[in-house]
Amino acid sequence: MGEYNKETITQWVRTLGADAMEDAEFLDTLAKAIWEDAEAAEEFACYMETGNFLCRKNVDGYTVVDVMVWQIDHFKAEMDRGKYAMRENGSKMVLRAFDTFMKMKKQPDKYKGLMQSETGTDYPDKY
């Protein structure tokens, strides 16, 4: 991977944020959280440079990809109805997944509980 630093991460977050129509405060907070965590910054840089995830950084076994899948599953009904902005906005999906992942790092039990209980299942006993 190429070199990345605070400015590079911030610019990448802002670039995705423009596509995602996110506000500056959210983007600046997210960029700071990412570049302050070397493993998260490496994960984000890999995504921005290759379109793929390393999945090295995890919180109790959950990666940013797991968070993204959970978000999609959780909001499946709204997406099916066209009411969820991430449906056709990959930039928003990635930013929100990284945002949730960084929050999960600070409050792992809370987010693990959400991921295990709020699955948006479309049939009983899915898990």
Side-chain angles (χ1 to χ4, degrees):
M1 274 189 310
E3 291 193 28
Y4 57 89
N5 55 31
K6 174 183 175 179
E7 291 76 26
T8 304
I9 297 292
T10 300
Q11 184 57 46
W12 282 336
V13 168
R14 288 180 181 163
T15 298
L16 289 179
D19 291 340
M21 297 178 281
E22 295 285 4
D23 67 66
E25 183 178 353
F26 168 78
L27 297 172
D28 290 344
T29 300
L30 178 57
K32 184 176 189 277
I34 292 171
W35 55 256
E36 285 182 341
D37 183 311
E39 290 177 321
E42 182 181 31
E43 182 78 35
F44 190 73
C46 180
Y47 174 77
M48 292 303 295
E49 292 177 349
T50 69
N52 295 307
F53 295 93
L54 292 171
C55 292
R56 287 186 196 147
K57 173 76 174 161
N58 71 77
V59 177
D60 293 343
Y62 290 97
T63 68
V64 71
V65 173
D66 294 318
V67 171
M68 201 172 342
V69 170
W70 169 70
Q71 288 177 330
I72 292 168
D73 190 40
H74 179 71
F75 296 107
K76 187 190 282 187
E78 284 79 9
M79 288 175 67
D80 288 345
R81 293 183 190 106
K83 295 182 180 179
Y84 193 49
M86 281 197 276
R87 179 180 182 161
E88 296 173 358
N89 192 321
S91 295
K92 183 178 280 293
M93 187 182 323
V94 168
L95 289 173
R96 290 297 173 161
F98 270 95
D99 180 57
T100 300
F101 186 73
M102 299 312 293
K103 290 175 181 174
M104 186 179 198
K105 183 179 174 207
K106 292 181 180 182
Q107 296 178 296
D109 291 337
K110 174 185 175 179
Y111 286 91
K112 283 178 8 188
L114 290 172
M115 288 182 68
Q116 293 168 0
S117 64
E118 294 186 7
T119 63
T121 60
D122 51 2
Y123 55 92
D125 302 319
K126 183 174 179 180
Y127 294 104

